[in-house]
Amino acid sequence: MAMTIQALEKTLKRAFPELRYSVDHERESISVDIAREAYRSPEGKDGVTVGLELFEKGEYLELQCQWLYDASQSAHRGALSRLLLGVSLRTPLVQFSFDEADGEVRATAEVVLADGSITPLQLKLMLTTLVGVIDAFHPHVVRAMETGEISFPNEETIVRATLADQSGDDVSLAAPLEIGEMLKALLAESRLRGRKMWEDAAPKRSVGRH
């Protein structure tokens, strides 16, 4: 049994009766705009666009916020990668990723639909947690991108020493890139664990001679 885009839309309506959204039936996805207090998009928009997309023929749901930030011009990519890794480790449901190829920073929340459904309360908690985490960490992400300073809410601020300060010499971007690769590896491992949960939950068919 798998979830359809029609069933997902009905669940979203029950979770948020007044919410405005758009549906792409071909991609089996729904797009929702949610206003926030702190977060501002790279274009100056005071809200988050969340995409709800079904995968694995409706047995896997991902909530994603693409292009939350454009770090393509940031001089502090190493600090940003370390900050995003720290956020992901502090928020098990929400994972941040950074694409060094184009500078995109996005956030996702994923769930395996083991029985082909999700309740309105579950969907509401996922969506509100995702946008809430984005809002809470927004100033910290901006600070890391603009100054290289790493900080977290209600925790002691950490100022990242530059690699040049540590070595006394000019250095390449190898170390910041390695940090980014570590982040990607951890996020990939998280996704693989989710897929394995989905595979383990799928009904098994015995195969034999007839």
Side-chain angles (χ1 to χ4, degrees):
M1 182 178 180
M3 191 168 206
T4 64
I5 190 63
Q6 292 81 6
L8 180 59
E9 182 181 1
K10 288 181 180 178
T11 304
L12 183 63
K13 283 183 177 179
R14 291 179 60 190
F16 301 95
E18 305 299 325
L19 196 64
R20 293 185 178 182
Y21 60 87
S22 60
V23 183
D24 186 333
H25 291 279
E26 288 189 8
R27 290 188 55 186
E28 293 193 316
S29 65
I30 299 174
S31 180
V32 180
D33 289 327
I34 301 177
R36 300 307 302 161
E37 294 181 1
Y39 174 79
R40 295 294 182 274
S41 73
E43 299 78 23
K45 175 183 174 183
D46 59 346
V48 180
T49 298
V50 184
L52 292 74
E53 192 164 357
L54 292 169
F55 296 96
E56 304 293 348
K57 298 181 180 179
E59 297 184 5
Y60 189 84
L61 172 64
E62 181 176 271
L63 278 61
Q64 53 182 267
C65 298
Q66 302 178 355
W67 284 103
L68 284 173
Y69 305 95
D70 181 355
S72 58
Q73 303 302 313
S74 174
H76 306 284
R77 292 187 171 199
L80 174 62
S81 296
R82 289 169 61 187
L83 183 279
L84 296 177
L85 175 59
V87 175
S88 298
L89 292 174
R90 286 164 172 77
T91 59
L93 176 64
V94 181
Q95 298 294 306
F96 280 77
S97 58
F98 169 43
D99 188 342
E100 294 183 10
D102 57 14
E104 178 195 6
V105 175
R106 69 168 60 187
T108 60
E110 305 167 338
V111 63
V112 178
L113 305 176
D115 59 357
S117 64
I118 184 171
T119 69
L121 180 57
Q122 287 175 317
L123 184 58
K124 186 172 185 177
L125 288 174
M126 283 187 66
L127 190 54
T128 54
T129 299
L130 176 60
V131 297
V133 166
I134 291 170
D135 216 36
F137 284 94
H138 172 67
H140 303 272
V141 175
V142 172
R143 181 180 297 130
M145 284 197 303
E146 294 182 351
T147 70
E149 181 179 307
I150 300 172
S151 61
F152 301 98
N154 303 318
E155 296 182 28
E156 183 179 355
T157 297
I158 303 173
V159 179
R160 180 180 70 90
T162 65
L163 294 175
D165 289 339
Q166 294 173 8
S167 65
D169 301 315
D170 291 334
V171 295
S172 68
L173 290 177
L177 286 176
E178 288 172 2
I179 294 171
E181 291 302 320
M182 179 177 67
L183 173 60
K184 292 178 184 178
L186 286 172
L187 295 179
E189 181 182 350
S190 176
R191 183 184 291 273
L192 286 174
R193 286 200 302 267
R195 294 292 171 90
K196 188 176 187 305
M197 289 173 57
W198 168 76
E199 291 172 357
D200 292 343
K204 304 295 189 299
R205 291 188 299 176
S206 59
V207 180
R209 296 181 180 179
H210 298 282

